[in-house]
Amino acid sequence: MATSGSASKTVTSWDTLKFSWSRTSYSVPNNTSTISWKLELISTTYGAIYSAPSKTWTVTVNGAKHTGTASASIGNNATKTLASGTDTITHNNDGTKTFAFSFSHNFSITFSDKWIGEVSGSGTGTLDAIPRYASITEAPDFNDEATNLT
């Protein structure tokens, strides 16, 4: 069980596409968790990418699909957020929840004489269980009954 997680895919020998999520809040009455997520491009020593045009990214969290565009231009030894968002996830009746996620970015670039198209990845996250609570019904007033016994 966890309150955060991530998954990464190699783009080039020096660049990584990383999806990460973390639970920001939860609701016991609604049996839901709200998570924030982000899709990042991370470069190392020789990972600079010079690609001005924006290209399509897609993130799907527990069946909720998000799409947009972002430029993959990045310098060496840098981290760039391509996309971010939030999702509310409903837990199972017992308070547990494992959800699937997937992510992709269409780079459409040539890097070191190699064509790089769409890079995609996927994974699963397991959220900490939400405590379940029972509603308490009003108990009968036994004092009235005791009075009638005297």
Side-chain angles (χ1 to χ4, degrees):
M1 303 233 233
T3 56
S4 63
S6 65
S8 300
K9 290 298 285 188
T10 299
V11 179
T12 74
S13 298
W14 300 279
D15 298 284
T16 302
L17 184 64
K18 180 182 179 181
F19 175 82
S20 57
W21 63 270
S22 62
R23 182 163 81 173
T24 55
S25 65
Y26 67 91
S27 168
V28 173
N30 295 330
N31 197 29
T32 59
S33 285
T34 298
I35 67 163
S36 62
W37 55 262
K38 61 184 173 180
L39 183 64
E40 296 175 304
L41 180 60
I42 302 168
S43 71
T44 57
T45 308
Y46 302 107
I49 295 173
Y50 304 104
S51 174
S54 291
K55 302 290 174 28
T56 304
W57 58 263
T58 302
V59 169
T60 303
V61 177
N62 196 46
K65 186 176 181 179
H66 309 272
T67 60
T69 59
S71 171
S73 291
I74 192 170
N76 293 326
N77 298 309
T79 298
K80 180 176 186 175
T81 299
L82 302 174
S84 61
T86 60
D87 280 288
T88 299
I89 298 173
T90 301
H91 285 237
N92 301 321
N93 289 337
D94 63 359
T96 62
K97 183 62 180 179
T98 297
F99 66 95
F101 60 81
S102 62
F103 57 96
S104 67
H105 184 78
N106 181 13
F107 287 87
S108 297
I109 60 170
T110 300
F111 188 94
S112 296
D113 297 325
K114 180 183 175 184
W115 175 254
I116 299 169
E118 183 176 83
V119 175
S120 60
S122 62
T124 58
T126 302
L127 291 162
D128 285 348
I130 294 177
R132 306 317 302 136
Y133 70 98
S135 59
I136 299 173
T137 57
E138 188 174 329
D141 187 353
F142 291 107
N143 289 329
D144 289 343
E145 296 297 324
T147 305
N148 292 335
L149 295 175
T150 56

